[in-house]
Amino acid sequence: MRSIYPQLFSVLFVFTCLQLHYTEGCTCAPSHPQDAYCNSEIVIRAKVVGKKLVKDGPFGTMRYTVKQMKMYKGFEKIQHVQYIYTVASESLCGVKFDINKYQYLITGRVFEGKFYTGLCNFIEKWERLTLAQKKGFNHRYQLGCSCRVSGPAGCEPSLERKEAKQAEKEKEAQTVVPTQRNEAALKAGRARRRGRGRGLKKGGPKQNVLLRYTELL
């Protein structure tokens, strides 16, 4: 009886994708990395080093061999991930990894001790993640699972949004200071011009008197 579970899991996985997306292919709504972290049972960074089709047919299963670099979540489920399973067909939400090329951030779930993932999970090349996202997976996202980014109104902004706002404030401060300096320079220039103008007006009659006196001599 236990041998039919993987097949049932694949069927359920496919039907779940098909309920959410087109029948022609699998397209998933994007999820915020923090939500993906909190909703997943396993989160790892790994390099894919091999693959093998372990079950053929319309709901075939592909097994990828990975070299785990770091585990961020799921220690109580699997101590060390060696294989990742997914539906063989990309049109049925199966994911395709490049072999011996990149390190991936991979999220997914555990079924009967096996790590399953797909296109509806958050999967990204590690080098494409922002610095804030890398910090989030390393430590910060786990602190915010009690308040999801897509959760109810009133939740505090995500860490990435806070950092983005802070960066905007710093950028505004950098642009305000030169503007203030420019305004101060303009005011000083106007004051100098006014002073010069006043000096010329006051000195005008005296200069004329001296010229007339010189002419008389």
Side-chain angles (χ1 to χ4, degrees), residues 149-164:
V149 176
S150 58
C155 286
E156 293 184 0
S158 67
L159 295 169
E160 290 184 18
R161 291 180 182 177
K162 288 181 179 179
E163 292 181 354

Side-chain angles (χ1 to χ4, degrees), residues 64-81:
Y64 286 95
T65 305
V66 300
K67 181 181 179 182
Q68 179 179 302
M69 303 298 180
K70 186 172 183 179
M71 178 174 283
Y72 304 97
K73 184 180 180 182
F75 301 96
E76 71 284 359
K77 298 286 184 179
I78 301 177
Q79 293 296 322
H80 185 85
V81 177

Side-chain angles (χ1 to χ4, degrees), residues 63-132:
R63 184 186 72 186
Y64 286 95
T65 305
V66 300
K67 181 181 179 182
Q68 179 179 302
M69 303 298 180
K70 186 172 183 179
M71 178 174 283
Y72 304 97
K73 184 180 180 182
F75 301 96
E76 71 284 359
K77 298 286 184 179
I78 301 177
Q79 293 296 322
H80 185 85
V81 177
Q82 184 179 2
Y83 301 109
I84 294 177
Y85 296 84
T86 186
V87 179
S89 174
E90 291 183 70
S91 62
L92 298 178
C93 299
V95 63
K96 182 179 180 181
F97 293 101
D98 291 314
I99 308 300
N100 290 318
K101 285 189 176 182
Y102 310 103
Q103 289 187 26
Y104 290 92
L105 191 289
I106 308 170
T107 67
R109 296 191 174 275
V110 177
F111 181 77
E112 290 194 338
K114 296 179 180 180
F115 181 15
Y116 285 86
T117 190
L119 290 177
C120 293
N121 297 101
F122 184 86
I123 299 169
E124 186 57 272
K125 295 173 184 176
W126 181 254
E127 62 185 23
R128 289 188 178 179
L129 296 178
T130 65
L131 181 60

